[in-house]
Amino acid sequence: MNKSFRQSMAWLHTWAGLLLGWLLVAIFITGTSAYFREEITLWMQPELHDSTLQPATVELAMAALNAKASDAKSWDISLPGARQTAAELRWQPAKQPEGGGRRRGEQMLMDADSGNIVEPRATRGGNFLYRFHFELYGIDRLWARLLVCVATMFMLIAIISGVITHKKIFKDFFTFRPGKGQRSWLDAHNATAVLALPYHFMITYSGLLLFMTLIMPWGIDAAYENDRRAFFSEAFSRGEDAARPGAPAEMVAIGPLIEQTEARFGKPVERIQITNPNRDNAQITLRVNRDPAVTDRQRGGDPTQVFQGSNGELIETRIPANDEVSPGWRIYNFFSSVHMARFADPITRWLFFLFGLAGSAMTATGMLLWVSKRTQKLRRDQQPDRALKMVNGLNMASITGLMQAIAAYFLANRLLPVAVEAREDREIQVFFLVWLASLVHGLLRPHRQGWSEQVAATSLLWLAVPIVNIFTTNSHLFSALAWQHPAIASFDLVCLILAALGGYTLWRLQRKPEPAKPRRARTPRSATVSTPQSKPAGESP
């Protein structure tokens, strides 16, 4: 019974991983990059690299907003931090455009040193990879998210069935036999799976939980009479609009208020919100970030102090606590925080990044293991059928092809003219054109030659990224500006590491001989018909 059950789980593990494995590889790789989407976006906007927070940055931001939108309903200033260099200025216009919908307001970026308004090159940056991770691109958002949910469910099934199938999975974790073909792929698959097994389960289950309102909406429909908008308005309410008419009045200097807030919480102010600016009912809200903690990300927001804008009087001090929200919200916030690593400091974010790479390798080696098993079953004179060739091509496109497309996306950011029309869309078009070319190449070229050529192309593209960056910007590995912001230098270093890994893989492919296929089985001698032979003279009968 146990053998039959384990065999059933092995069948389920194989097909749950294969059917949507190519999509899962893309989800894992782009999701792993999303841990550093702010850093990727910063690298892709070199016009912002020489901006640094200064004592006068807040006053410069206030002056810029006064000049641009003195009669706005509200102002919002995000000061430079560890993951961004420019000051981000937003405001809600006094008159909203016709048509309704969500009021996103307007925004601009300001150089934190000089106070000049900066217009960086148009790019989606790391947000393109982040959003591709859960809603793909070019198809309806609802259907894309449903497809990602189905793939995630398949991933969860593959993880559970894989643990059941491999009864010696933890013992096999310490076994790796290089250069053994199918055995090597199995060892690599087991090692990358067990190495970060808690992470794999967490990231998959929490991904499904984030879309719980999409895949299990029946409770919401019953409670809110099929009005899901009412649910989201209540669950994610941002409070009532505090902007209302008031008499014109000057606001107090904001510097002493910032000093008071920083002294109260012991941390620098990172966000400033002003409702009804330049009026007698203006309110100034100063926020600091919480300490990184998984359970500390609640709806109450960050520690905050609210002041009267006309005289600087303290109105309210908010220190969010866990008891402000329900247990259900605490559970949801816990899983959403660990899935997106919102709590993480740089070291923890790098650990999550490495675990994400392990998940990508686990999925990729599973796909390669499937092909290796079926390739070794072919006779010496037997050619792979169309299905096996198609799986080979899809494997190349989903693994090396996607890595080529991402590198090409970064190269397009540096090589496309800054003033070209719809520039951000052109970068994405380059991404998909390179990915499509990889798929066509993988389907046309033989297995081993195709892999060698694709790995070589991948290594060259990633090597080209920091080299092209040297000739197109002033913030590269050999400039002090890049090392002033570690995120910029780290980006180029990661590109070089990926190029080196590709070069090592290519060297291994070229060094390893073509695996010999099994010979055709010989006919047993006992089955052959032998003719009687005459015996030598003198031998007894």
Side-chain angles (χ1 to χ4, degrees):
M1 182 63 183
N2 290 335
K3 182 178 180 181
S4 176
F5 176 71
R6 186 169 287 111
Q7 288 177 342
S8 299
M9 289 296 101
W11 178 90
L12 181 62
H13 179 76
T14 298
W15 291 103
L18 176 66
L19 292 178
L20 291 175
W22 304 288
L23 178 59
L24 286 171
V25 171
I27 292 173
F28 251 112
I29 292 177
T30 54
T32 299
S33 71
Y35 288 129
F36 293 101
R37 61 171 174 155
E38 287 86 357
E39 288 80 358
I40 292 174
T41 302
L42 174 62
W43 184 88
M44 297 181 74
Q45 293 180 325
E47 295 82 4
L48 306 178
H49 290 180
D50 57 353
S51 175
T52 307
L53 180 64
Q54 302 293 336
T57 298
V58 175
E59 297 296 339
L60 292 172
M62 297 282 287
L65 285 170
N66 258 318
K68 185 70 175 181
S70 60
D71 61 343
K73 288 185 177 181
S74 62
W75 294 345
D76 193 327
I77 304 171
S78 295
L79 297 176
R83 307 183 72 183
Q84 67 179 49
T85 57
E88 210 170 314
L89 313 182
R90 300 187 185 89
W91 67 93
Q92 286 287 347
K95 294 183 179 180
Q96 294 294 334
E98 298 181 0
R102 293 184 63 181
R103 297 175 299 171
R104 296 183 180 275
E106 300 181 31
Q107 67 175 12
M108 59 186 179
L109 296 174
M110 186 195 78
D111 183 274
D113 294 286
S114 63
N116 296 328
I117 302 303
V118 183
E119 294 185 4
R121 63 189 64 190
T123 179
R124 302 280 180 87
N127 290 318
F128 164 66
L129 299 174
Y130 163 70
R131 301 201 73 85
F132 183 89
H133 159 67
F134 64 92
E135 61 185 23
L136 308 181
Y137 184 83
I139 61 178
D140 181 76
R141 180 179 298 179
L142 175 62
W143 289 106
R145 293 187 176 191
L146 283 172
L147 180 58
V148 171
C149 285
V150 172
T152 307
M153 182 61 73
F154 274 50
M155 181 68 184
L156 186 61
I157 294 173
I159 291 174
I160 296 173
S161 59
V163 172
I164 296 173
T165 299
H166 302 288
K167 59 181 179 180
K168 297 181 180 180
I169 186 171
F170 292 102
K171 179 180 178 181
D172 291 342
F173 169 69
F174 299 98
T175 303
F176 182 70
R177 293 155 286 193
K180 301 294 183 181
Q182 178 182 329
R183 287 282 186 181
S184 299
W185 290 123
L186 179 60
D187 291 342
H189 185 65
N190 289 338
T192 53
V194 180
L195 175 66
L197 183 59
Y199 171 86
H200 300 329
F201 184 84
M202 176 277 296
I203 207 72
T204 306
Y205 178 76
S206 60
L208 288 173
L209 186 63
L210 290 176
F211 284 126
M212 63 180 182
T213 58
L214 179 65
I215 57 181
M216 292 192 300
W218 309 288
I220 297 174
D221 292 343
Y224 289 84
E225 299 179 351
N226 294 321
D227 187 1
R228 298 183 189 177
R229 187 179 296 273
F231 164 77
F232 287 110
S233 298
E234 179 179 339
F236 301 100
S237 174
R238 298 183 179 179
E240 297 181 358
D241 190 354
R244 60 188 186 279
E250 291 187 3
M251 292 191 297
V252 297
I254 199 171
L257 306 184
I258 293 178
E259 293 177 0
Q260 181 178 340
T261 302
E262 292 178 345
R264 171 65 178 82
F265 297 116
K267 295 180 180 180
V269 170
E270 296 197 355
R271 188 174 180 184
I272 303 168
Q273 295 172 292
I274 303 176
T275 56
N276 308 309
N278 298 318
R279 299 181 183 90
D280 58 0
N281 59 344
Q283 288 189 359
I284 301 174
T285 303
L286 305 180
R287 301 179 184 273
V288 303
N289 276 347
R290 295 170 179 242
D291 290 325
V294 178
T295 59
D296 229 12
R297 199 69 167 178
Q298 307 298 343
R299 278 195 298 172
D302 297 317
T304 301
Q305 283 196 322
V306 183
F307 298 89
Q308 185 67 36
S310 58
N311 55 26
E313 180 184 351
L314 178 63
I315 299 175
E316 183 183 6
T317 298
R318 305 170 189 163
I319 305 178
N322 285 338
D323 56 5
E324 294 182 2
V325 294
S326 65
W329 266 112
R330 286 201 292 271
I331 294 172
Y332 178 83
N333 284 327
F334 170 81
F335 280 105
S336 62
S337 292
V338 296
H339 185 90
M340 293 181 280
R342 293 186 306 197
F343 68 94
D345 57 16
I347 295 178
T348 307
R349 194 176 296 113
W350 276 110
L351 286 175
F352 271 53
F353 180 80
L354 294 176
F355 289 154
L357 291 181
S360 305
M362 174 190 66
T363 311
T365 52
M367 306 298 298
L368 297 172
L369 178 60
W370 189 91
V371 172
S372 178
K373 283 183 177 181
R374 280 142 189 85
T375 301
Q376 291 190 1
K377 291 180 181 179
L378 299 176
R379 297 192 303 270
R380 179 180 291 275
D381 58 346
Q382 186 179 2
Q383 294 297 322
D385 57 15
R386 292 183 178 179
L388 190 55
K389 288 182 178 179
M390 183 185 70
V391 173
N392 280 330
L394 291 173
N395 282 351
M396 292 185 203
S398 64
I399 302 172
T400 55
L402 178 58
M403 296 301 294
Q404 293 169 27
I406 296 175
Y409 176 63
F410 296 145
L411 286 171
N413 175 263
R414 290 296 189 259
L415 296 177
L416 287 174
V418 175
V420 69
E421 186 178 357
R423 190 179 188 280
E424 64 272 26
D425 294 330
R426 298 289 182 267
E427 291 179 354
I428 297 174
Q429 289 171 3
V430 170
F431 173 89
F432 284 107
L433 286 174
V434 172
W435 203 358
L436 177 62
S438 170
L439 173 61
V440 173
H441 173 270
L443 294 174
L444 294 179
R445 295 294 291 166
H447 177 271
R448 192 169 188 80
Q449 290 85 340
W451 277 110
S452 296
E453 293 162 1
Q454 293 240 4
V455 170
T458 304
S459 183
L460 289 175
L461 284 171
W462 282 102
L463 179 62
V465 172
I467 294 177
V468 171
N469 189 40
I470 292 175
F471 295 101
T472 54
T473 70
N474 294 324
S475 52
H476 48 78
L477 284 174
F478 300 102
S479 69
L481 180 59
W483 292 101
Q484 181 179 346
H485 302 289
I488 301 172
S490 298
F491 186 98
D492 284 356
L493 289 175
V494 170
C495 291
L496 292 175
I497 291 173
L498 291 175
L501 289 175
Y504 174 76
T505 304
L506 179 63
W507 174 74
R508 294 282 300 185
L509 284 172
Q510 297 294 332
R511 179 171 173 264
K512 181 180 176 182
E514 184 77 23
K517 297 177 182 177
R519 296 178 179 273
R520 180 183 294 182
R522 293 182 177 180
T523 307
R525 288 188 177 183
S526 58
T528 60
V529 179
S530 58
T531 57
Q533 297 181 359
S534 58
K535 296 181 180 178
E539 189 173 325
S540 60

